[in-house]
C-alpha cells in the first residue's frame, strides 16, 4: 500500500533533484524534437505537405489548415494528435532513460545518458506496447463523458464535460502509471506489467491519483490559456499560438520530470521493497 | 553476422527514429511553393488590416482617426502588393477584392466619400469571378456618386446596375442580396428629375412600375414581396398617380396589419389627399394616426401636417394648439420640434407680436442648429429687425447668424449639412451687400470640399458678382481663367470658357 505521505515525500525528493541537468537531458531532447516538429509544421503549411498534416484533421478543417490564421488555430490539435504517436514510439525511450537515471541517482551510481537510452532501447517493444495500451485507454476515457451524456440523454454544460474528460484521463493515467517502471526496472513483460500497475493503483488509488494530479496542476496555466486561445488571438495576434505551444511544451517537460521523479521514487522505495519483502 | 532476432529490439528505436527523420524531411522538403506563399502572405496582411478595422469603433475619439488611417494604409497595401497577381494565383482574387471593398467601407465611414467612391470603382476593375462583390461595388459607387452630386457618374453606374441585375428574371436574386438594390429605377428617376430631365424622370418611373408589377405576380419571399409592394406605392406617388396610389395603399393596409405599417400607409394617404387639395380627408387621416397610433414614427409628422392644414384653412387657434401639443408630446424629436417652434413663431409674427416671435426664432437658432429651421431662423431674425428699422439690431443678428453657421461648419455634422451652412453664410454676405466676403467665401469652398465637384461652379458665381455688382470685368475674367486652370476637365470649366469668350467679345 502506498500512503499519501509517501507520495508527498516522493515529490520532495524529486524537487531535490531539480538541479541535476543529466536527469533533465532526455526530456529536453524530447521537448526539442516536439518543437522541431512544430517548426516543420509552420514551415510546411501552406505548401504541398499541407495534405500530410490535414490527414490528422476531419471535415472543413482539412481545407482551412492551408489558410491564415487557421493553420495557427489548428496547430495545437494537429500536434496533439501527432503527439500521441510520438508518445508511443519516441517518448517511451526518453522517459525510460529518465527513470533509469533517477534509479541510479538514488543508488549513488553514475549512469550516462547514452547508456540509459541504450538500456531503455533494449526493452523498447514492451515499453512501446505498454504506452500503446495506456494511450488507447486514455483515448477511450476521453470519449467516456460524451458517451455517458448521450446514454442518459442529458444536456451537460461544456465546462462540466471538459472537467469530466480531464478527470477520466487522470484516472486512466493513474491506472497505467506504474506499467513502465515494471517493464523497465522489474523486467516484467508488458501484460504482467500492466496487470501489476492496475493492482498497485487499485490498492492505493487516492495516493496514486495524487501522484498524477500534482504534476498535472503544473500544466493548468498553459491548459487554461489554450482554452482561451481564441480570446487571446482576438486581443493580440494569431502568432500567440506559437508562444502558447512553446509554453505548453515547457510546462509538460517540467510536469513529466515531477511525475517520473515521484513515480520512480515510490516504485523503488515502496513497491519494489514491498515485493522483495513479500518474497 | 548478428542475428536479427537479437538485434531486433535494439534496431526498433533506430527504425522509429529513421521514420521520424523521413517524416520531417518529407514534410519539410514540401515547404511552401510560390503560389501558396503569395496567397498566404495576402491572407496574413488582410487579417491584420481587418483587425485594425475592428479597433475603429472600440477606440476613443482621439484615437479613431489614427486607426482609420492605419486601416486604410493596410488595405491599400494588400491591393497594391497583390492586385497585379490575381490572374496568376488561385484564391488571390477573393482576398484582394475583400481588401478593396473593406478599404472603400472604411473610407465611407470616415466621411471620405470621394475616395470611397473611387475605391468601389477600383473594386469593379479588380473583380473577375465574384458577382456579389461586383453588385455591391457598383451600387455603392453609384450611391456615393449621388451623395457627392456627381450625377453623371451616378446615372451611368445605376444604369449599368439596372441592365445587369434587374431584368425581371434576375431581379428576385438581386433583391435577396440586398433589398435596397431594387430601388435602382427609383434612384434613376430621382436623378433624372434633379438633372431636369423630365422625360427621363417619367421614363424611369414607368420602368419601375413595370418591374415591380412583374415581380409582385411572381413568387417572392415575404420580406422581398413587402419591399416590392411599397416600392410600387412610392412609384405611384412620385409619378403623381394619386388614384392608383390610394387603391394600392388600401390593398397594402389589408396585407400589413402591424401598427407601424398602418400608420405609415395612412400618413401617405394624408399627403396624397393634401396634394389633391382634399384637406378634410387629409386632416381626418392625420387625426386617425396620432390618436390611434400615438407611438408610431409618423404620429408627430401627422400632427404637424394636421396643424399645417388648419393653418391653410385659417383656423389659427387649432393649429397653435396642435403645435403646442407636438412640443409637449415629442420632446426627443428635434426636427419635429424645430418645425413646431417655427410655425408658432410665424403665427406670432402674423399677429405683429415681434417680441414673442423673435424670442422663438432665437430659441430655434440656439436649440436646433443643424435643421432647416435652425438655418432659417437667424436670417428671419435679421430681416425682422431690418423691417422694424433696427439697423444695428439687424447687423448684430446677421453677425450672430454667421457665428451660428460657423458653429455647424466646424462641428460634428455630416458634410451635406455643413454645405447647407456654407450656403447660408453666403446668403448673409449677399443680403448685406458684402461682395468681397461673398467672393472669397465662394472661391474657398471647392478646395475645402474637394469631393463635391459641383462647387467648382462657385467660380462662375463669383465671376457674376464681379461683373454685375462690382462692375469689374477684368476680375471676373481672372476668376473664370482660374476655374479653367484648376479644374480643366470639369463642366464648370466649359461654361467658364464660354463666358470668358463672351467677355472678350464684348471688349
Amino acid at each position: 500500500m502506498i500512503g499519501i505521505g509517501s507520495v508527498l515525500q516522493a515529490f520532495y525528493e524529486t524537487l531535490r533533484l531539480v538541479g541535476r541537468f543529466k536527469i533533465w537531458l532526455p526530456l529536453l531532447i524530447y521537448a526539442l524534437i516536439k518543437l522541431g516538429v512544430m517548426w516543420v509544421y509552420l514551415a510546411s503549411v501552406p505548401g504541398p505537405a499541407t495534405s500530410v498534416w490535414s490527414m490528422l484533421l476531419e471535415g472543413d478543417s482539412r481545407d482551412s489548415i492551408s489558410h491564415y490564421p487557421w493553420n495557427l488555430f489548428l496547430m495545437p490539435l494537429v500536434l496533439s494528435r501527432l503527439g500521441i504517436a510520438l508518445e508511443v514510439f519516441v517518448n517511451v525511450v526518453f522517459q525510460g532513460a529518465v527513470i533509469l537515471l533517477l534509479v541510479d541517482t538514488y543508488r549513488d551510481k553514475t549512469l550516462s545518458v547514452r547508456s540509459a537510452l541504450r538500456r531503455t532501447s533494449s526493452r523498447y517493444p514492451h515499453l512501446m506496447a505498454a504506452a500503446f495500451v495506456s494511450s488507447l485507454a486514455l483515448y477511450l476515457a476521453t470519449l467516456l463523458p460524451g458517451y455517458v451524456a448521450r446514454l442518459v440523454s442529458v444536456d451537460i454544460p461544456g465546462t462540466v464535460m471538459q472537467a469530466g474528460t480531464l478527470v477520466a484521463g487522470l484516472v486512466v493515467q493513474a491506472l497505467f502509471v506504474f506499467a513502465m517502471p515494471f517493464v523497465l526496472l522489474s523486467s516484467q513483460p508488458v501484460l504482467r506489467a500492466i496487470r501489476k500497475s492496475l493492482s498497485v493503483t487499485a490498492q492505493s488509488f487516492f495516493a496514486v491519483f495524487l501522484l498524477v494530479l500534482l504534476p498535472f496542476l503544473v500544466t493548468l496555466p498553459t491548459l487554461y490559456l489554450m482554452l482561451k486561445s481564441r480570446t487571446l488571438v482576438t486581443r493580440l495576434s494569431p502568432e500567440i499560438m506559437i508562444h502558447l505551444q512553446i509554453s505548453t511544451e515547457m510546462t509538460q517537460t517540467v510536469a513529466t520530470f515531477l511525475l517520473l521523479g515521484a513515480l520512480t521514487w515510490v516504485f523503488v522505495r515502496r513497491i519494489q521493497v514491498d515485493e522483495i519483502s513479500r518474497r | 553476422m548478428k542475428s536479427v532476432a537479437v538485434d531486433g529490439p535494439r534496431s526498433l528505436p533506430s527504425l522509429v527514429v529513421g521514420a521520424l527523420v523521413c517524416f520531417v524531411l518529407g514534410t519539410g522538403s514540401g515547404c511552401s511553393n510560390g503560389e501558396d506563399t503569395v496567397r498566404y502572405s495576402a491572407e496574413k496582411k488582410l487579417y491584420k488590416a481587418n483587425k485594425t478595422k475592428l479597433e475603429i469603433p472600440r477606440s476613443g475619439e482621439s484615437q479613431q482617426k489614427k486607426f482609420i488611417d492605419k486601416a486604410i494604409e493596410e488595405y491599400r497595401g494588400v491591393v497594391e502588393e497583390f492586385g497585379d497577381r490575381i490572374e496568376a494565383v488561385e484564391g488571390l482574387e477573393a482576398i484582394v477584392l475583400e481588401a478593396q471593398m473593406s478599404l472603400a467601407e472604411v473610407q465611407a465611414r470616415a466621411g471620405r466619400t470621394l475616395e470611397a467612391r473611387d475605391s468601389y470603382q477600383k473594386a469593379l476593375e479588380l473583380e473577375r469571378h465574384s458577382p456579389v462583390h461586383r453588385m455591391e461595388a457598383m451600387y455603392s459607387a453609384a450611391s456615393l456618386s449621388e451623395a457627392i452630386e456627381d450625377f453623371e457618374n451616378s446615372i451611368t453606374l445605376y444604369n449599368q446596375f439596372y441592365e445587369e441585375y434587374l431584368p425581371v428574371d434576375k431581379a428576385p436574386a438581386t433583391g435577396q442580396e440586398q433589398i435596397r438594390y431594387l430601388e435602382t429605377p427609383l434612384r434613376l428617376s430621382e436623378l433624372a428629375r434633379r438633372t431636369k430631365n423630365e422625360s427621363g424622370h417619367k421614363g424611369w418611373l414607368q420602368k419601375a412600375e413595370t418591374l415591380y408589377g412583374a415581380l409582385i405576380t411572381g413568387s417572392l419571399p415575404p420580406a422581398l414581396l413587402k419591399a416590392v409592394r411599397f416600392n410600387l406605392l412610392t412609384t405611384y406617388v412620385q409619378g403623381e398617380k394619386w388614384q392608383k396610389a390610394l387603391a394600392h395603399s388600401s390593398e397594402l393596409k389589408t396585407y400589413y396589419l402591424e401598427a407601424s405599417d398602418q400608420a405609415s400607409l395612412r400618413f401617405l394617404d394624408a399627403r396624397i389627399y393634401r396634394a389633391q387639395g382634399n384637406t378634410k380627408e387629409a386632416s381626418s387621416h392625420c387625426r386617425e394616426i396620432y390618436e390611434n397610433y400615438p407611438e408610431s414614427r409618423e404620429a408627430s409628422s401627422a400632427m404637424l401636417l394636421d396643424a399645417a392644414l388648419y393653418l391653410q384653412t385659417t383656423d389659427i387657434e387649432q393649429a397653435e394648439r396642435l403645435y403646442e401639443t407636438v412640443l409637449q408630446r415629442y420632446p426627443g424629436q428635434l426636427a419635429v420640434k424645430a418645425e413646431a417652434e417655427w410655425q408658432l413663431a410665424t403665427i406670432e409674427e402674423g399677429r405683429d407680436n415681434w417680441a414673442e416671435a423673435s424670442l422663438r426664432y432665437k430659441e430655434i437658432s440656439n436649440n436646433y442648429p443643424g435643421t432647416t429651421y435652425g438655418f432659417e431662423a437667424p436670417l428671419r431674425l435679421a430681416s425682422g429687425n431690418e423691417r422694424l428699422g433696427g439697423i444695428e439690431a439687424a447687423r448684430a443678428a446677421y453677425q450672430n447668424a454667421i457665428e451660428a453657421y460657423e458653429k455647424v461648419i466646424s462641428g460634428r455634422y455630416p458634410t451635406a449639412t455643413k454645405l447647407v451652412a456654407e450656403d447660408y453664410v453666403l446668403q448673409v454676405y449677399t443680403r448685406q451687400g458684402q461682395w468681397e466676403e461673398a467672393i472669397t467665401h465662394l472661391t474657398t469652398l471647392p478646395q475645402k470640399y474637394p469631393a463635391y465637384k459641383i462647387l467648382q461652379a462657385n467660380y462662375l458665381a463669383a465671376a457674376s458678382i464681379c461683373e454685375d455688382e462690382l462692375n469689374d470685368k477684368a476680375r471676373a475674367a481672372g476668376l473664370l481663367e482660374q476655374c479653367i486652370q484648376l479644374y480643366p476637365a470639369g463642366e464648370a470649366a466649359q461654361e467658364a470658357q464660354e463666358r470668358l469668350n463672351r467677355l472678350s467679345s464684348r471688349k
Side-chain angles (χ1 to χ4, degrees):
Chain A
M1 272 282 280
I2 305 162
I4 287 175
S6 298
V7 169
L8 294 175
Q9 191 175 355
F11 279 115
Y12 171 72
E13 296 296 336
T14 304
L15 287 170
R16 289 177 62 191
L17 298 176
V18 153
R20 305 280 183 108
F21 177 73
K22 198 171 71 170
I23 301 173
W24 282 99
L25 192 56
L27 297 177
L28 292 174
I29 294 171
Y30 181 65
L32 281 173
I33 290 173
K34 289 193 81 179
L35 290 176
V37 170
M38 184 185 80
W39 176 83
V40 169
Y41 173 85
L42 290 170
S44 61
V45 174
T50 308
S51 53
V52 174
W53 296 108
S54 68
M55 287 194 298
L56 293 165
L57 299 167
E58 58 280 318
D60 289 339
S61 302
R62 283 192 165 186
D63 295 323
S64 303
I65 193 177
S66 64
H67 296 273
Y68 183 93
W70 290 102
N71 63 317
L72 294 170
F73 286 142
L74 293 167
M75 181 175 67
L77 181 61
V78 168
L79 294 181
S80 72
R81 288 182 177 178
L82 182 62
I84 295 171
L86 288 174
E87 287 291 314
V88 170
F89 294 105
V90 179
N91 200 18
V92 287
V93 175
F94 294 103
Q95 287 188 349
V98 169
I99 290 173
L100 289 176
L101 289 167
L102 283 163
V103 167
D104 270 40
T105 304
Y106 298 142
R107 292 173 185 161
D108 289 324
K109 289 193 180 158
T110 50
L111 180 69
S112 72
V113 172
R114 189 183 285 189
S115 302
L117 286 168
R118 205 178 299 128
R119 277 172 58 182
T120 310
S121 302
S122 69
R123 298 291 293 158
Y124 183 71
H126 295 275
L127 288 170
M128 192 182 68
F132 178 81
V133 172
S134 71
S135 294
L136 184 62
L138 194 63
Y139 173 71
L140 292 172
T142 59
L143 297 178
L144 191 60
Y147 177 73
V148 167
R150 277 194 297 277
L151 203 63
V152 300
S153 303
V154 164
D155 221 6
I156 299 178
T159 39
V160 174
M161 285 286 281
Q162 278 173 351
T165 307
L166 278 172
V167 169
L170 287 170
V171 167
V172 167
Q173 193 182 13
L175 290 170
F176 289 88
V177 75
F178 290 107
M180 189 183 284
F182 273 116
V183 165
L184 201 50
L185 302 177
S186 302
S187 299
Q188 299 290 334
V190 60
L191 288 176
R192 197 182 301 170
I194 289 172
R195 225 177 18 247
K196 285 195 165 188
S197 176
L198 293 172
S199 166
V200 166
T201 304
Q203 287 173 32
S204 316
F205 179 77
F206 289 109
V208 179
F209 188 78
L210 186 66
L211 186 73
V212 300
L213 177 66
L214 290 180
F216 168 75
L217 293 178
V218 169
T219 67
L220 269 184
T222 49
L223 185 64
Y224 177 75
L225 287 175
M226 272 295 185
L227 291 172
K228 295 288 177 197
S229 57
R230 286 292 168 102
T231 308
L232 286 173
V233 163
T234 310
R235 293 268 163 90
L236 304 170
S237 77
E239 280 71 20
I240 197 73
M241 298 303 297
I242 300 173
H243 301 284
L244 271 181
Q245 191 67 31
I246 294 171
S247 305
T248 301
E249 294 306 333
M250 284 163 59
T251 51
Q252 290 279 20
T253 302
V254 170
T256 306
F257 179 89
L258 290 173
L259 175 63
L260 292 176
L263 169 76
T264 308
W265 191 94
V266 164
F267 188 84
V268 166
R269 296 281 193 251
R270 297 284 181 265
I271 298 172
Q272 273 191 333
V273 165
D274 282 350
E275 286 206 328
I276 290 167
S277 66
R278 241 183 270 132
R279 279 194 223 123
Chain B
M1 209 168 122
K2 287 182 184 174
S3 106
V4 170
V6 170
D7 282 340
R10 281 209 287 267
S11 70
L12 258 172
S14 312
L15 276 173
V16 169
V17 168
L20 185 64
V21 167
C22 284
F23 174 78
V24 166
L25 287 176
T27 51
S29 68
C31 284
S32 313
N33 71 10
E35 272 189 28
D36 287 336
T37 311
V38 169
R39 182 188 44 74
Y40 186 80
S41 291
E43 281 171 350
K44 201 167 171 178
K45 290 195 164 158
L46 179 63
Y47 181 88
K48 197 173 164 211
N50 285 341
K51 200 154 175 288
T52 307
K53 184 175 111 175
L54 285 175
E55 290 301 318
I56 295 171
R58 286 185 207 151
S59 58
E61 225 177 277
S62 57
Q63 293 291 310
Q64 252 191 22
K65 187 175 180 310
K66 185 182 106 182
F67 281 106
I68 287 171
D69 289 340
K70 195 170 172 220
I72 288 174
E73 191 189 323
E74 285 171 352
Y75 282 126
R76 243 186 219 137
V78 173
V79 176
E80 280 166 13
E81 191 175 342
F82 301 102
D84 55 359
R85 288 184 270 184
I86 283 176
E87 307 275 11
V89 178
E90 196 186 329
L92 197 57
E93 180 189 333
I95 299 166
V96 171
L97 207 48
E98 191 190 324
Q100 185 66 32
M101 297 290 285
S102 298
L103 168 64
E105 188 198 321
V106 170
Q107 286 167 330
R109 271 161 52 174
R112 300 181 196 182
T113 317
L114 179 61
E115 291 174 39
R117 192 277 304 269
D118 292 344
S119 293
Y120 277 122
Q121 295 213 228
K122 175 125 193 238
L124 282 175
E125 290 166 28
L126 290 169
E127 183 273 332
R128 303 277 185 277
H129 306 103
S130 180
V132 172
H133 281 125
R134 181 179 170 75
M135 214 185 275
E136 192 189 333
M138 198 183 291
Y139 193 90
S140 301
S143 173
L144 289 171
S145 294
E146 191 181 348
I148 58 173
E149 299 186 7
D150 183 355
F151 297 130
E152 193 185 332
N153 196 42
S154 181
I155 289 169
T156 305
L157 287 165
Y158 276 134
N159 243 316
Q160 194 180 350
F161 190 93
Y162 181 81
E163 297 296 327
E164 273 188 49
Y165 300 111
L166 292 179
V168 172
D169 55 333
K170 290 186 182 170
T174 304
Q176 295 269 57
E177 289 299 328
Q178 286 204 42
I179 284 179
R180 66 182 179 135
Y181 291 159
L182 296 178
E183 292 169 17
T184 304
L186 292 175
R187 303 272 17 101
L188 279 160
S189 94
E190 175 61 17
L191 283 167
R193 188 190 64 77
R194 287 174 78 175
T195 52
K196 305 206 189 330
N197 178 359
E198 197 51 40
S199 63
H201 170 62
K202 287 195 170 115
W204 279 111
L205 283 175
Q206 188 53 53
K207 283 185 187 175
E209 195 178 323
T210 308
L211 173 65
Y212 300 141
L215 287 175
I216 283 170
T217 58
S219 60
L220 296 177
L224 203 54
L225 182 60
K226 183 177 178 180
V228 171
R229 281 176 169 154
F230 275 82
N231 281 352
L232 183 58
L233 181 58
T234 307
T235 308
Y236 289 144
V237 169
Q238 286 189 6
E240 296 180 7
K241 295 182 179 177
W242 305 129
Q243 293 314 311
K244 274 190 169 179
L246 287 169
H248 191 60
S249 172
S250 291
E251 196 185 332
L252 294 187
K253 281 193 212 97
T254 63
Y255 295 142
Y256 304 110
L257 304 176
E258 272 190 35
S260 55
D261 292 325
Q262 292 289 312
S264 96
L265 287 166
R266 279 170 171 72
F267 189 61
L268 193 62
D269 290 347
R271 283 160 57 198
I272 291 171
Y273 283 122
R274 188 196 189 185
Q276 289 181 310
N278 189 343
T279 51
K280 198 173 160 195
E281 271 303 321
S283 182
S284 152
H285 275 74
C286 287
R287 209 165 28 252
E288 204 183 333
I289 295 168
Y290 59 75
E291 283 175 3
N292 296 345
Y293 307 99
E295 303 302 318
S296 69
R297 219 170 39 192
E298 287 77 11
S300 54
S301 303
M303 198 174 278
L304 281 177
L305 179 58
D306 204 16
L309 290 167
Y310 278 116
L311 270 182
Q312 223 174 300
T313 56
T314 65
D315 189 346
I316 308 290
E317 277 171 20
Q318 184 68 359
E320 212 171 357
R321 192 182 61 80
L322 282 171
Y323 286 130
E324 293 287 359
T325 309
V326 164
L327 291 176
Q328 284 163 18
R329 219 184 262 189
Y330 307 105
Q333 295 186 32
L334 292 183
V336 158
K337 280 179 69 179
E339 186 178 336
E341 288 276 13
W342 177 270
Q343 298 298 349
L344 287 167
T346 55
I347 288 170
E348 293 299 338
E349 215 182 330
R351 288 176 182 153
D352 286 329
N353 188 354
W354 180 245
E356 181 64 30
S358 63
L359 275 173
R360 285 197 183 265
Y361 287 131
K362 263 190 206 129
E363 222 176 282
I364 293 167
S365 174
N366 290 336
N367 295 345
Y368 312 105
T371 64
T372 308
Y373 300 106
F375 286 129
E376 282 290 331
L379 292 183
R380 196 69 165 237
L381 263 170
S383 58
N385 289 335
E386 260 178 348
R387 201 174 56 241
L388 294 171
I391 305 299
E392 282 307 312
R395 203 172 287 147
Y398 279 126
Q399 187 51 45
N400 288 341
I402 297 265
E403 283 168 17
Y405 301 141
E406 293 288 345
K407 247 191 195 170
V408 172
I409 290 163
S410 58
R412 297 185 68 200
Y413 290 93
T415 309
T417 308
K418 291 185 183 188
L419 284 172
V420 173
E422 299 277 13
D423 193 53
Y424 273 92
V425 167
L426 181 65
Q427 281 192 48
V428 169
Y429 289 141
T430 53
R431 279 193 189 198
Q432 294 183 97
Q434 292 174 318
W435 304 119
E436 291 298 334
E437 286 85 346
I439 289 168
T440 308
H441 185 73
L442 279 166
T443 51
T444 51
L445 291 183
Q447 281 97 56
K448 201 171 169 187
Y449 303 97
Y452 290 79
K453 289 186 183 151
I454 204 162
L455 292 173
Q456 293 167 10
N458 282 10
Y459 281 90
L460 305 175
S464 297
I465 291 173
C466 288
E467 217 184 322
D468 301 336
E469 305 296 339
L470 302 178
N471 204 19
D472 188 346
K473 290 187 176 35
R475 194 173 168 195
L479 284 167
L480 292 170
E481 277 164 7
Q482 207 179 343
C483 178
I484 294 164
Q485 259 176 17
L486 287 170
Y487 313 107
E491 273 179 33
Q494 277 179 14
E495 201 183 320
Q497 187 60 60
E498 283 166 21
R499 285 223 234 167
L500 203 53
N501 295 340
R502 266 201 311 274
L503 273 173
S504 310
S505 66
R506 269 189 235 150
K507 273 186 196 157

